[in-house]
Amino acid sequence: MLTIHSELRRIKEFIEEKLKEHKFYMAREPVEGEDEGGSLALVIPKVCVGSLPHANFSMYADSLRLFQAPYILVGYDEAQYEDDMESISVLIQVCAYTQDIYDGADGGEVFPDNMGVLDVTGLLEALMAWVENEAPFPAEKPFRIGSYADKAYTYPYAFGYLTFTLETAMGTIHQRRFYDNLD
């Protein structure tokens, strides 16, 4: 039987391995004390198991940073258990950062370059290719890539997601006993 937590951790470890193998660097937002006008620092995105409900997302709370971009969150929408099959709807959410802006033409307004959207798309397409062609877990089509761009204006951040299904024949039923260590 698939256990949700173990499968999400396996996907996380696979993604971390592929990011390092392909030297997949993205822009990191400046941390406090760094010169924001200087060149962007590049890092391999942080990968975590979790979820970010984007519709309820607040960029800052009491001016504290809630996260640091770039990142990848490996989570799920739901799991389904039938008589002989089980599946997990995997949801991988990503975030990219960009600080570049364009000067408006003829002294007009300054506006963001929105390149973070392209960074998110590139990362999602790479993740999809790795999962489809190299994953050691049973990823099933269809793969779906989407953007959260219509949910809120989040410059200098861009968000997107990849979904697919892990499906396998039902194995031995495994029950977790959370109360074993209560004595």
Side-chain angles (χ1 to χ4, degrees):
M1 176 175 194
L2 295 173
T3 64
I4 295 169
H5 185 251
S6 64
E7 292 302 313
L8 297 180
R9 286 186 51 209
R10 186 160 66 144
I11 295 167
K12 171 193 178 288
E13 291 165 2
F14 170 76
I15 291 172
E16 287 174 328
E17 177 184 306
K18 290 296 161 190
L19 290 169
K20 289 177 187 169
E21 176 184 325
H22 292 276
K23 298 179 176 129
F24 201 103
Y25 288 91
M26 297 178 73
R28 174 184 56 81
E29 63 184 310
V31 293
E32 192 173 325
E34 285 185 341
D35 177 20
E36 291 190 28
S39 63
L40 289 175
L42 298 176
V43 297
I44 292 177
K46 175 75 173 162
V47 184
C48 302
V49 172
S51 182
L52 177 66
H54 193 271
N56 298 325
F57 176 65
S58 174
M59 190 68 68
Y60 296 100
D62 299 329
S63 74
L64 295 175
R65 196 174 285 185
L66 296 177
F67 65 85
Q68 184 161 341
Y71 67 75
I72 301 169
L73 289 173
V74 178
Y76 73 103
D77 277 331
E78 66 180 9
Q80 182 173 330
Y81 302 91
E82 297 181 31
D83 291 337
D84 59 349
M85 294 296 292
E86 56 190 1
S87 63
I88 300 172
S89 298
V90 176
L91 171 64
I92 299 175
Q93 299 174 87
V94 302
C95 176
Y97 170 81
T98 182
Q99 73 174 6
D100 291 338
I101 57 172
Y102 291 125
D103 290 327
D106 300 324
E109 291 186 33
V110 174
F111 58 96
D113 71 358
N114 236 357
M115 295 305 288
V117 172
L118 298 179
D119 291 340
V120 163
T121 303
L123 176 56
L124 290 169
E125 288 176 334
L127 291 170
M128 182 177 68
W130 297 335
V131 168
E132 183 175 20
N133 299 313
E134 303 175 46
F137 44 82
E140 301 288 330
K141 289 183 177 182
F143 292 93
R144 290 183 182 92
I145 290 178
S147 170
Y148 292 119
D150 63 338
K151 303 296 182 202
Y153 182 70
T154 57
Y155 177 82
Y157 304 96
F159 299 90
Y161 61 90
L162 166 67
T163 63
F164 58 90
T165 302
L166 294 185
E167 192 167 296
T168 187
M170 189 67 101
T172 305
I173 294 177
H174 172 324
Q175 287 186 309
R176 292 171 119 187
R177 294 184 57 188
F178 293 103
Y179 53 84
D180 282 344
N181 297 320
L182 294 178
D183 295 335

